[in-house]
Amino acid sequence: MTSVADTKSAVSAYKGCVKEKGGVNACSDERAAAVKGISSAVKGECSPYVEDFFTCFAHRYRLSSCSDATVGKLLKCQEQ
């Protein structure tokens, strides 16, 4: 799992590559590193909301703890 500092560095490297080389097609390695870091961060930060969502989904939203807020919290986390 990559750290937040590694992810920020990878995103900066990708942005620099795009500016330097003039296009996203020439920066596939940098893009892959940035995407991997971002997905890892989202996975770590949003895992409690994902678990709540899939618990509700598995029980067809019949649990008393399942509401629109369950889905809203997951979506809000993923937008960050």
Side-chain angles (χ1 to χ4, degrees):
M1 189 161 152
T2 59
S3 70
V4 174
D6 293 339
T7 301
K8 286 183 179 181
S9 175
V11 170
S12 295
Y14 174 64
K15 288 180 179 179
C17 178
V18 169
K19 284 183 181 179
E20 181 182 313
K21 296 183 180 179
V24 295
N25 294 332
C27 303
S28 61
D29 292 338
E30 290 84 355
R31 180 176 59 198
V35 168
K36 181 180 177 185
I38 291 169
S39 66
S40 176
V42 169
K43 181 180 177 183
E45 292 291 321
C46 298
S47 64
Y49 304 117
V50 171
E51 290 175 21
D52 289 347
F53 172 78
F54 280 110
T55 300
C56 290
F57 182 77
H59 290 94
R60 297 184 182 193
Y61 292 93
R62 293 184 181 147
L63 299 176
S64 63
S65 63
C66 298
S67 66
D68 290 340
T70 305
V71 176
K73 289 176 185 176
L74 174 63
L75 293 174
K76 186 175 181 180
C77 181
Q78 290 176 339
E79 289 175 356
Q80 294 178 0

